[in-house]
PDB file of all heavy atoms in Angstrom:
ATOM      1  N   PRO A 323       9.189  94.209 -64.782  1.00 96.00           N
ATOM      2  CA  PRO A 323      10.319  93.364 -64.302  1.00 96.00           C
ATOM      3  C   PRO A 323      10.367  91.927 -64.870  1.00 96.00           C
ATOM      4  O   PRO A 323      11.420  91.334 -64.996  1.00 96.00           O
ATOM      5  CB  PRO A 323       9.918  93.335 -62.811  1.00 96.00           C
ATOM      6  CG  PRO A 323       8.923  94.449 -62.500  1.00 96.00           C
ATOM      7  CD  PRO A 323       8.199  94.639 -63.887  1.00 96.00           C
ATOM      8  N   MET A 324       9.210  91.347 -65.033  1.00 95.00           N
ATOM      9  CA  MET A 324       9.138  89.969 -65.588  1.00 95.00           C
ATOM     10  C   MET A 324       9.874  89.803 -66.918  1.00 95.00           C
ATOM     11  O   MET A 324      10.590  88.939 -67.216  1.00 95.00           O
ATOM     12  CB  MET A 324       7.765  89.381 -65.597  1.00 95.00           C
ATOM     13  CG  MET A 324       7.258  89.026 -64.227  1.00 95.00           C
ATOM     14  SD  MET A 324       5.408  88.916 -63.994  1.00 95.00           S
ATOM     15  CE  MET A 324       5.171  87.639 -65.170  1.00 95.00           C
ATOM     16  N   ARG A 325       9.573  90.900 -67.725  1.00 92.00           N
ATOM     17  CA  ARG A 325      10.142  90.859 -69.134  1.00 92.00           C
ATOM     18  C   ARG A 325      11.716  91.098 -68.966  1.00 92.00           C
ATOM     19  O   ARG A 325      12.450  90.398 -69.748  1.00 92.00           O
ATOM     20  CB  ARG A 325       9.502  91.936 -70.010  1.00 92.00           C
ATOM     21  CG  ARG A 325       9.497  91.464 -71.411  1.00 92.00           C
ATOM     22  CD  ARG A 325       8.631  92.459 -72.290  1.00 92.00           C
ATOM     23  NE  ARG A 325       7.180  92.023 -72.381  1.00 92.00           N
ATOM     24  CZ  ARG A 325       6.770  90.912 -72.886  1.00 92.00           C
ATOM     25  NH1 ARG A 325       7.613  89.983 -73.250  1.00 92.00           N
ATOM     26  NH2 ARG A 325       5.534  90.674 -72.967  1.00 92.00           N
ATOM     27  N   ALA A 326      12.033  91.905 -68.101  1.00 91.00           N
ATOM     28  CA  ALA A 326      13.521  92.081 -67.943  1.00 91.00           C
ATOM     29  C   ALA A 326      14.177  90.835 -67.488  1.00 91.00           C
ATOM     30  O   ALA A 326      15.275  90.398 -67.826  1.00 91.00           O
ATOM     31  CB  ALA A 326      13.851  93.178 -66.845  1.00 91.00           C
ATOM     32  N   GLN A 327      13.425  90.056 -66.460  1.00 93.00           N
ATOM     33  CA  GLN A 327      14.069  88.761 -66.103  1.00 93.00           C
ATOM     34  C   GLN A 327      14.081  87.775 -67.057  1.00 93.00           C
ATOM     35  O   GLN A 327      14.860  87.032 -67.206  1.00 93.00           O
ATOM     36  CB  GLN A 327      13.103  88.323 -64.869  1.00 93.00           C
ATOM     37  CG  GLN A 327      13.706  87.257 -64.030  1.00 93.00           C
ATOM     38  CD  GLN A 327      12.797  86.855 -62.824  1.00 93.00           C
ATOM     39  OE1 GLN A 327      11.576  86.942 -62.821  1.00 93.00           O
ATOM     40  NE2 GLN A 327      13.329  86.594 -61.713  1.00 93.00           N
ATOM     41  N   MET A 328      12.999  87.753 -67.887  1.00 93.00           N
ATOM     42  CA  MET A 328      12.959  86.799 -68.932  1.00 93.00           C
ATOM     43  C   MET A 328      14.125  87.090 -69.997  1.00 93.00           C
ATOM     44  O   MET A 328      14.755  85.996 -70.471  1.00 93.00           O
ATOM     45  CB  MET A 328      11.659  86.913 -69.796  1.00 93.00           C
ATOM     46  CG  MET A 328      10.451  86.413 -69.007  1.00 93.00           C
ATOM     47  SD  MET A 328       8.933  86.643 -69.806  1.00 93.00           S
ATOM     48  CE  MET A 328       8.929  85.545 -71.182  1.00 93.00           C
ATOM     49  N   MET A 329      14.392  88.290 -70.190  1.00 87.00           N
ATOM     50  CA  MET A 329      15.528  88.532 -71.118  1.00 87.00           C
ATOM     51  C   MET A 329      16.877  88.141 -70.505  1.00 87.00           C
ATOM     52  O   MET A 329      17.767  87.445 -71.209  1.00 87.00           O
ATOM     53  CB  MET A 329      15.608  90.031 -71.395  1.00 87.00           C
ATOM     54  CG  MET A 329      14.636  90.445 -72.418  1.00 87.00           C
ATOM     55  SD  MET A 329      14.984  92.072 -73.123  1.00 87.00           S
ATOM     56  CE  MET A 329      14.287  93.178 -71.827  1.00 87.00           C
ATOM     57  N   ALA A 330      17.068  88.459 -69.156  1.00 86.00           N
ATOM     58  CA  ALA A 330      18.295  88.235 -68.454  1.00 86.00           C
ATOM     59  C   ALA A 330      18.533  86.678 -68.468  1.00 86.00           C
ATOM     60  O   ALA A 330      19.665  86.156 -68.569  1.00 86.00           O
ATOM     61  CB  ALA A 330      18.281  88.765 -67.092  1.00 86.00           C
ATOM     62  N   HIS A 331      17.414  85.882 -68.204  1.00 88.00           N
ATOM     63  CA  HIS A 331      17.589  84.407 -68.016  1.00 88.00           C
ATOM     64  C   HIS A 331      17.213  83.511 -69.372  1.00 88.00           C
ATOM     65  O   HIS A 331      17.224  82.355 -69.201  1.00 88.00           O
ATOM     66  CB  HIS A 331      16.883  83.985 -66.772  1.00 88.00           C
ATOM     67  CG  HIS A 331      17.261  84.488 -65.476  1.00 88.00           C
ATOM     68  ND1 HIS A 331      18.299  84.047 -64.766  1.00 88.00           N
ATOM     69  CD2 HIS A 331      16.817  85.494 -64.910  1.00 88.00           C
ATOM     70  CE1 HIS A 331      18.417  84.631 -63.655  1.00 88.00           C
ATOM     71  NE2 HIS A 331      17.619  85.680 -63.602  1.00 88.00           N
ATOM     72  N   GLY A 332      17.008  84.219 -70.371  1.00 87.00           N
ATOM     73  CA  GLY A 332      16.519  83.415 -71.513  1.00 87.00           C
ATOM     74  C   GLY A 332      15.328  82.685 -71.296  1.00 87.00           C
ATOM     75  O   GLY A 332      15.246  81.532 -71.836  1.00 87.00           O
ATOM     76  N   ILE A 333      14.393  83.176 -70.472  1.00 92.00           N
ATOM     77  CA  ILE A 333      13.020  82.511 -70.287  1.00 92.00           C
ATOM     78  C   ILE A 333      12.234  82.760 -71.505  1.00 92.00           C
ATOM     79  O   ILE A 333      11.855  83.925 -71.902  1.00 92.00           O
ATOM     80  CB  ILE A 333      12.409  82.935 -69.063  1.00 92.00           C
ATOM     81  CG1 ILE A 333      13.328  82.720 -67.837  1.00 92.00           C
ATOM     82  CG2 ILE A 333      11.041  82.362 -68.882  1.00 92.00           C
ATOM     83  CD1 ILE A 333      12.712  83.538 -66.553  1.00 92.00           C
ATOM     84  N   ASP A 334      11.835  81.751 -72.201  1.00 91.00           N
ATOM     85  CA  ASP A 334      11.217  81.995 -73.567  1.00 91.00           C
ATOM     86  C   ASP A 334       9.696  81.928 -73.541  1.00 91.00           C
ATOM     87  O   ASP A 334       9.036  82.098 -74.527  1.00 91.00           O
ATOM     88  CB  ASP A 334      11.700  80.893 -74.627  1.00 91.00           C
ATOM     89  CG  ASP A 334      11.480  79.520 -74.029  1.00 91.00           C
ATOM     90  OD1 ASP A 334      10.857  79.332 -73.048  1.00 91.00           O
ATOM     91  OD2 ASP A 334      11.912  78.577 -74.792  1.00 91.00           O
ATOM     92  N   ASP A 335       9.086  81.628 -72.341  1.00 95.00           N
ATOM     93  CA  ASP A 335       7.762  81.493 -72.354  1.00 95.00           C
ATOM     94  C   ASP A 335       7.180  82.090 -70.877  1.00 95.00           C
ATOM     95  O   ASP A 335       7.465  81.588 -69.897  1.00 95.00           O
ATOM     96  CB  ASP A 335       7.344  79.961 -72.362  1.00 95.00           C
ATOM     97  CG  ASP A 335       5.804  79.869 -72.640  1.00 95.00           C
ATOM     98  OD1 ASP A 335       4.894  80.678 -72.155  1.00 95.00           O
ATOM     99  OD2 ASP A 335       5.486  78.704 -73.266  1.00 95.00           O
ATOM    100  N   ILE A 336       6.435  83.227 -71.031  1.00 96.00           N
ATOM    101  CA  ILE A 336       5.962  83.884 -69.845  1.00 96.00           C
ATOM    102  C   ILE A 336       5.027  83.099 -69.045  1.00 96.00           C
ATOM    103  O   ILE A 336       4.792  83.218 -67.844  1.00 96.00           O
ATOM    104  CB  ILE A 336       5.215  85.237 -70.197  1.00 96.00           C
ATOM    105  CG1 ILE A 336       5.211  86.116 -68.972  1.00 96.00           C
ATOM    106  CG2 ILE A 336       3.957  85.002 -70.816  1.00 96.00           C
ATOM    107  CD1 ILE A 336       4.761  87.593 -69.356  1.00 96.00           C
ATOM    108  N   ARG A 337       4.446  81.988 -69.693  1.00 96.00           N
ATOM    109  CA  ARG A 337       3.397  81.113 -68.928  1.00 96.00           C
ATOM    110  C   ARG A 337       4.067  80.252 -67.817  1.00 96.00           C
ATOM    111  O   ARG A 337       3.565  79.722 -66.869  1.00 96.00           O
ATOM    112  CB  ARG A 337       2.695  80.285 -69.937  1.00 96.00           C
ATOM    113  CG  ARG A 337       1.848  80.991 -70.885  1.00 96.00           C
ATOM    114  CD  ARG A 337       1.343  80.147 -72.011  1.00 96.00           C
ATOM    115  NE  ARG A 337       2.417  79.506 -72.739  1.00 96.00           N
ATOM    116  CZ  ARG A 337       2.203  78.790 -73.786  1.00 96.00           C
ATOM    117  NH1 ARG A 337       0.895  78.396 -74.190  1.00 96.00           N
ATOM    118  NH2 ARG A 337       3.251  78.226 -74.454  1.00 96.00           N
ATOM    119  N   HIS A 338       5.429  80.244 -67.852  1.00 96.00           N
ATOM    120  CA  HIS A 338       6.172  79.440 -66.902  1.00 96.00           C
ATOM    121  C   HIS A 338       5.969  80.213 -65.436  1.00 96.00           C
ATOM    122  O   HIS A 338       5.956  79.508 -64.421  1.00 96.00           O
ATOM    123  CB  HIS A 338       7.663  79.506 -67.044  1.00 96.00           C
ATOM    124  CG  HIS A 338       8.164  78.579 -68.120  1.00 96.00           C
ATOM    125  ND1 HIS A 338       7.757  77.315 -68.291  1.00 96.00           N
ATOM    126  CD2 HIS A 338       9.012  78.780 -69.167  1.00 96.00           C
ATOM    127  CE1 HIS A 338       8.229  76.756 -69.225  1.00 96.00           C
ATOM    128  NE2 HIS A 338       9.060  77.671 -69.822  1.00 96.00           N
ATOM    129  N   TYR A 339       5.671  81.471 -65.502  1.00 97.00           N
ATOM    130  CA  TYR A 339       5.612  82.165 -64.101  1.00 97.00           C
ATOM    131  C   TYR A 339       4.511  81.608 -63.315  1.00 97.00           C
ATOM    132  O   TYR A 339       4.604  81.506 -62.111  1.00 97.00           O
ATOM    133  CB  TYR A 339       5.338  83.734 -64.458  1.00 97.00           C
ATOM    134  CG  TYR A 339       6.746  84.427 -64.661  1.00 97.00           C
ATOM    135  CD1 TYR A 339       7.223  84.520 -65.964  1.00 97.00           C
ATOM    136  CD2 TYR A 339       7.480  84.893 -63.675  1.00 97.00           C
ATOM    137  CE1 TYR A 339       8.508  85.113 -66.243  1.00 97.00           C
ATOM    138  CE2 TYR A 339       8.721  85.699 -63.741  1.00 97.00           C
ATOM    139  CZ  TYR A 339       9.217  85.627 -65.035  1.00 97.00           C
ATOM    140  OH  TYR A 339      10.501  86.265 -65.278  1.00 97.00           O
TER     141      TYR A 339
END
Side-chain angles (χ1 to χ4, degrees):
M324 287 159 57
R325 213 168 269 301
Q327 192 176 39
M328 288 173 74
M329 283 194 276
H331 293 277
I333 301 168
D334 57 2
D335 192 330
I336 197 169
R337 293 173 300 183
H338 286 313
Y339 276 90

